[in-house]
Amino acid sequence: NISSLFCSGSRSSKTFKPKKNIPEGSHQYELLKHAEATLGSGNLRMAVMLPDGEDLNEWVAVNTVDFFNQINMLYGTITDFCTEESCPVMSAGPKYEYHWADGTNIKKPIKCSAPKYIDYLMTWVQDQLDDETLFPSKIGVPFPKNFMSVAKTILKRLFRVYAHIYHQHFDPVIQLQEEAHLNTSFKHFIFFVQEFNLIDRRELAPLQELIEKLTSKDR
């Protein structure tokens, strides 16, 4: 049971961020419902495409919020396995290590444990999503000129959480029977960032083989 996992362990509740809700009745909510309906068809390549007549910024915004919620939940299931002791550095296999900097509070990248890094990362993403000047939720409020570059940075960082889970915590994912859920979520994420060219190929290197495996069936 996923919900009981969230409540167990003192750390889980700290790292698990509240779900970011898109206001009901808003156009973005309609877009989210559209995304969920097309996902249900099982064709992920079709599901990520920009719906006719829709604004690209808005579509990217809705999906970014959705991916934040998905990754938040997936990481929430394995927080008990991701500790200062088990993961003293934030890594995605032996060749990739991430150091945290957000450019404002922490300007010079710092080496920190995976749980600390992911806590910084998810808090930072949440702050961006809650910023009405960056992610306007009201109809008619324009997106800022730098919206796409902000979204790209968010997605690039969210990818690192997937990469860490796959490389360091895949065993508990299998034990918890979350494997299909993780794969579907990641595949959806990859199709989305590929469709709109949102993450540099070099950034995806830690999971390149998996990406090729997951996407080759749908060419």
Coordinates of all heavy atoms in Angstrom, one line a residue, residues 1-48:
N1 N 0.8 -1.2 0.0 CA 0.0 0.0 0.0 C 0.9 1.2 0.0 O 1.6 1.5 0.9 CB -0.9 0.0 1.3 CG -1.8 1.2 1.3 OD1 -1.4 2.3 0.9 ND2 -3.0 1.0 1.8
I2 N 0.8 2.0 -1.1 CA 1.6 3.2 -1.2 C 1.4 4.2 -0.1 O 2.3 4.8 0.5 CB 1.4 3.9 -2.6 CG1 1.9 2.9 -3.7 CG2 2.2 5.1 -2.7 CD1 1.7 3.4 -5.1
S3 N 0.1 4.5 0.2 CA -0.1 5.6 1.2 C 0.5 5.3 2.5 O 1.0 6.2 3.2 CB -1.6 5.9 1.3 OG -2.3 4.7 1.7
S4 N 0.5 4.0 2.9 CA 1.1 3.7 4.2 C 2.6 3.8 4.2 O 3.2 4.2 5.2 CB 0.7 2.3 4.7 OG 1.2 1.4 3.8
L5 N 3.1 3.6 3.0 CA 4.6 3.8 2.9 C 5.0 5.3 3.1 O 6.0 5.6 3.7 CB 5.0 3.4 1.4 CG 5.4 2.0 1.2 CD1 5.4 1.7 -0.3 CD2 6.7 1.6 1.9
F6 N 4.1 6.2 2.6 CA 4.4 7.6 2.8 C 4.5 8.0 4.3 O 5.2 8.8 4.7 CB 3.4 8.5 2.1 CG 3.5 8.4 0.6 CD1 2.3 8.5 -0.2 CD2 4.7 8.1 0.0 CE1 2.4 8.4 -1.6 CE2 4.7 8.0 -1.4 CZ 3.6 8.2 -2.2
C7 N 3.6 7.3 5.0 CA 3.5 7.7 6.4 C 4.5 7.0 7.3 O 4.8 7.5 8.4 CB 2.1 7.4 6.9 SG 0.8 8.1 5.9
S8 N 5.1 5.9 6.8 CA 6.0 5.2 7.6 C 7.4 5.9 7.5 O 7.7 6.5 6.5 CB 6.2 3.8 7.1 OG 6.8 3.8 5.9
G9 N 8.2 5.8 8.6 CA 9.5 6.4 8.5 C 9.4 7.9 8.7 O 8.7 8.6 8.0
S10 N 10.3 8.4 9.6 CA 10.2 9.8 9.8 C 10.6 10.7 8.7 O 10.2 11.8 8.4 CB 11.1 10.2 11.1 OG 12.4 9.7 10.8
R11 N 11.6 10.1 7.8 CA 12.1 10.9 6.7 C 11.1 11.1 5.6 O 11.1 12.1 4.9 CB 13.4 10.3 6.2 CG 14.6 10.9 6.9 CD 15.8 10.7 6.0 NE 15.6 11.2 4.7 CZ 15.4 10.4 3.6 NH1 15.4 9.1 3.8 NH2 15.2 10.9 2.4
S12 N 10.3 10.0 5.3 CA 9.5 10.0 4.2 C 8.6 11.3 4.1 O 8.6 12.0 3.1 CB 8.5 8.8 4.2 OG 9.3 7.7 4.4
S13 N 8.0 11.6 5.3 CA 7.1 12.7 5.3 C 7.8 14.0 5.0 O 7.3 15.0 4.4 CB 6.4 12.8 6.6 OG 7.4 12.9 7.7
K14 N 9.1 14.1 5.4 CA 9.9 15.3 5.1 C 10.2 15.5 3.7 O 10.1 16.6 3.1 CB 11.2 15.3 6.0 CG 11.8 16.7 6.0 CD 13.1 16.7 6.8 CE 14.2 16.4 5.9 NZ 15.4 15.9 6.5
T15 N 10.6 14.4 3.0 CA 11.0 14.6 1.6 C 9.8 14.6 0.7 O 9.8 15.2 -0.3 CB 11.9 13.4 1.2 OG1 12.9 13.2 2.2 CG2 12.5 13.6 -0.2
F16 N 8.8 13.9 1.1 CA 7.6 13.9 0.2 C 6.9 15.3 0.2 O 6.4 15.7 1.2 CB 6.6 12.8 0.7 CG 5.5 12.6 -0.2 CD1 5.7 12.1 -1.5 CD2 4.2 12.9 0.2 CE1 4.6 11.9 -2.4 CE2 3.1 12.7 -0.7 CZ 3.4 12.2 -2.0
K17 N 6.9 15.9 -0.9 CA 6.3 17.2 -1.0 C 4.8 17.1 -1.2 O 4.3 16.1 -1.8 CB 6.8 18.0 -2.2 CG 8.4 18.1 -2.2 CD 8.8 19.1 -1.3 CE 10.3 19.0 -0.9 NZ 10.6 19.1 0.5
P18 N 4.0 18.1 -0.8 CA 2.6 18.1 -1.1 C 2.3 18.1 -2.6 O 3.1 18.7 -3.3 CB 2.0 19.4 -0.5 CG 3.2 20.2 -0.1 CD 4.4 19.3 -0.1
K19 N 1.3 17.4 -3.0 CA 0.9 17.4 -4.4 C 0.6 18.8 -4.9 O 0.0 19.5 -4.2 CB -0.3 16.4 -4.6 CG -0.6 16.0 -6.0 CD -1.6 14.9 -6.0 CE -1.7 14.2 -7.4 NZ -2.7 14.9 -8.2
K20 N 1.0 19.1 -6.1 CA 0.7 20.4 -6.7 C -0.6 20.2 -7.5 O -0.6 19.5 -8.4 CB 1.9 20.8 -7.6 CG 1.6 22.0 -8.4 CD 1.9 23.3 -7.7 CE 1.7 24.5 -8.7 NZ 1.0 25.5 -8.1
N21 N -1.6 20.9 -7.0 CA -2.9 20.8 -7.7 C -3.2 21.8 -8.7 O -2.9 23.0 -8.5 CB -4.1 20.8 -6.7 CG -4.2 19.5 -5.9 OD1 -4.0 18.4 -6.5 ND2 -4.3 19.6 -4.6
I22 N -3.7 21.4 -9.9 CA -4.1 22.4 -10.9 C -5.5 22.7 -10.6 O -6.4 21.8 -10.4 CB -3.9 21.8 -12.3 CG1 -2.4 21.7 -12.6 CG2 -4.6 22.6 -13.4 CD1 -2.0 21.0 -13.9
P23 N -5.9 24.0 -10.5 CA -7.2 24.4 -10.1 C -8.3 23.8 -11.0 O -8.3 24.0 -12.2 CB -7.2 25.9 -10.0 CG -6.0 26.3 -10.7 CD -5.0 25.2 -10.7
E24 N -9.3 23.2 -10.4 CA -10.5 22.6 -11.1 C -11.2 23.7 -11.8 O -11.3 24.8 -11.3 CB -11.4 21.9 -10.2 CG -11.0 20.4 -10.0 CD -12.1 19.6 -9.3 OE1 -13.2 19.5 -9.8 OE2 -11.8 19.1 -8.2
G25 N -11.7 23.4 -13.0 CA -12.5 24.4 -13.7 C -11.6 25.3 -14.6 O -12.1 26.1 -15.4
S26 N -10.3 25.3 -14.4 CA -9.4 26.1 -15.2 C -9.1 25.4 -16.5 O -9.3 24.2 -16.6 CB -8.1 26.4 -14.4 OG -7.4 25.1 -14.3
H27 N -8.6 26.2 -17.4 CA -8.3 25.6 -18.7 C -7.1 24.6 -18.6 O -7.1 23.5 -19.2 CB -7.8 26.7 -19.7 CG -7.5 26.2 -21.1 ND1 -8.5 25.6 -21.9 CD2 -6.4 26.2 -21.8 CE1 -7.9 25.2 -23.0 NE2 -6.6 25.5 -23.0
Q28 N -6.2 24.9 -17.7 CA -5.1 23.9 -17.4 C -5.6 22.6 -16.9 O -5.1 21.5 -17.2 CB -4.1 24.5 -16.5 CG -3.4 25.7 -17.1 CD -2.2 26.2 -16.3 OE1 -1.8 25.6 -15.3 NE2 -1.6 27.3 -16.7
Y29 N -6.7 22.7 -16.1 CA -7.3 21.4 -15.6 C -7.9 20.6 -16.8 O -7.8 19.4 -16.8 CB -8.4 21.8 -14.6 CG -9.0 20.6 -13.8 CD1 -8.3 20.0 -12.8 CD2 -10.2 20.1 -14.2 CE1 -8.8 18.9 -12.1 CE2 -10.8 19.0 -13.5 CZ -10.0 18.4 -12.5 OH -10.6 17.3 -11.8
E30 N -8.6 21.3 -17.7 CA -9.1 20.7 -18.9 C -8.0 20.0 -19.7 O -8.1 18.9 -20.1 CB -9.8 21.7 -19.8 CG -11.0 22.4 -19.2 CD -12.1 21.4 -18.7 OE1 -12.4 20.5 -19.4 OE2 -12.5 21.6 -17.5
L31 N -6.9 20.7 -19.8 CA -5.7 20.1 -20.5 C -5.2 18.9 -19.8 O -4.8 17.9 -20.4 CB -4.6 21.2 -20.6 CG -4.6 22.1 -21.8 CD1 -3.4 23.1 -21.7 CD2 -4.6 21.4 -23.1
L32 N -5.1 19.0 -18.5 CA -4.7 17.8 -17.7 C -5.6 16.6 -17.9 O -5.1 15.5 -18.1 CB -4.6 18.1 -16.2 CG -4.1 17.0 -15.3 CD1 -2.6 16.7 -15.6 CD2 -4.2 17.4 -13.8
K33 N -6.9 16.9 -17.9 CA -7.9 15.8 -18.2 C -7.7 15.2 -19.6 O -7.8 14.0 -19.8 CB -9.3 16.3 -18.0 CG -9.7 16.6 -16.5 CD -10.0 15.3 -15.8 CE -9.8 15.4 -14.3 NZ -8.6 14.7 -13.8
H34 N -7.4 16.1 -20.5 CA -7.2 15.6 -21.9 C -6.0 14.7 -21.9 O -6.0 13.7 -22.6 CB -7.0 16.8 -22.8 CG -6.5 16.5 -24.2 ND1 -7.3 16.1 -25.2 CD2 -5.2 16.4 -24.7 CE1 -6.6 15.8 -26.3 NE2 -5.3 16.0 -26.0
A35 N -4.9 15.2 -21.2 CA -3.7 14.4 -21.2 C -3.9 13.0 -20.6 O -3.5 12.0 -21.1 CB -2.6 15.1 -20.4
E36 N -4.7 13.0 -19.5 CA -5.0 11.7 -18.8 C -5.8 10.8 -19.7 O -5.6 9.6 -19.8 CB -5.7 12.0 -17.5 CG -4.8 12.5 -16.4 CD -5.5 13.0 -15.2 OE1 -6.7 13.0 -15.2 OE2 -4.8 13.4 -14.2
A37 N -6.8 11.4 -20.5 CA -7.6 10.6 -21.4 C -6.8 10.0 -22.5 O -6.9 8.8 -22.8 CB -8.7 11.5 -21.9
T38 N -5.9 10.8 -23.1 CA -5.1 10.3 -24.2 C -4.1 9.2 -23.7 O -3.7 8.3 -24.4 CB -4.3 11.4 -25.0 OG1 -3.6 12.2 -24.1 CG2 -5.3 12.2 -25.8
L39 N -3.6 9.4 -22.5 CA -2.7 8.4 -21.9 C -3.4 7.1 -21.8 O -2.8 6.0 -22.0 CB -2.2 8.9 -20.5 CG -1.0 9.8 -20.4 CD1 -0.8 10.2 -19.0 CD2 0.2 9.2 -21.0
G40 N -4.7 7.2 -21.4 CA -5.5 5.9 -21.3 C -5.5 5.1 -22.5 O -5.8 3.9 -22.5
S41 N -5.3 5.8 -23.7 CA -5.4 5.1 -25.0 C -4.2 4.1 -25.1 O -4.2 3.3 -26.0 CB -5.4 6.0 -26.1 OG -4.1 6.6 -26.3
G42 N -3.2 4.4 -24.3 CA -2.0 3.5 -24.4 C -0.9 3.9 -25.4 O 0.2 3.4 -25.4
N43 N -1.3 4.9 -26.2 CA -0.3 5.4 -27.2 C 0.4 6.6 -26.7 O -0.1 7.7 -26.8 CB -0.9 5.7 -28.6 CG 0.1 6.0 -29.6 OD1 1.2 6.5 -29.3 ND2 -0.3 5.8 -30.9
L44 N 1.6 6.4 -26.1 CA 2.3 7.5 -25.4 C 2.8 8.6 -26.4 O 2.8 9.8 -26.1 CB 3.4 7.0 -24.5 CG 3.0 6.3 -23.3 CD1 4.2 5.6 -22.6 CD2 2.4 7.2 -22.3
R45 N 3.2 8.1 -27.6 CA 3.7 9.1 -28.6 C 2.6 10.1 -28.9 O 2.8 11.3 -29.1 CB 4.2 8.4 -29.8 CG 5.6 7.8 -29.6 CD 6.5 8.3 -30.7 NE 7.8 7.6 -30.6 CZ 8.9 8.0 -29.9 NH1 8.8 9.2 -29.2 NH2 10.0 7.4 -29.8
M46 N 1.4 9.6 -29.1 CA 0.2 10.4 -29.4 C -0.1 11.3 -28.2 O -0.4 12.5 -28.4 CB -1.0 9.6 -29.8 CG -0.8 8.8 -31.1 SD -0.8 9.8 -32.6 CE -2.5 10.4 -32.6
A47 N 0.0 10.7 -27.1 CA -0.5 11.4 -25.8 C 0.3 12.6 -25.5 O -0.2 13.6 -24.9 CB -0.4 10.4 -24.7
V48 N 1.6 12.7 -25.9 CA 2.4 13.8 -25.6 C 2.3 15.0 -26.6 O 2.7 16.1 -26.3 CB 3.9 13.5 -25.4 CG1 4.1 12.5 -24.3 CG2 4.5 12.9 -26.7

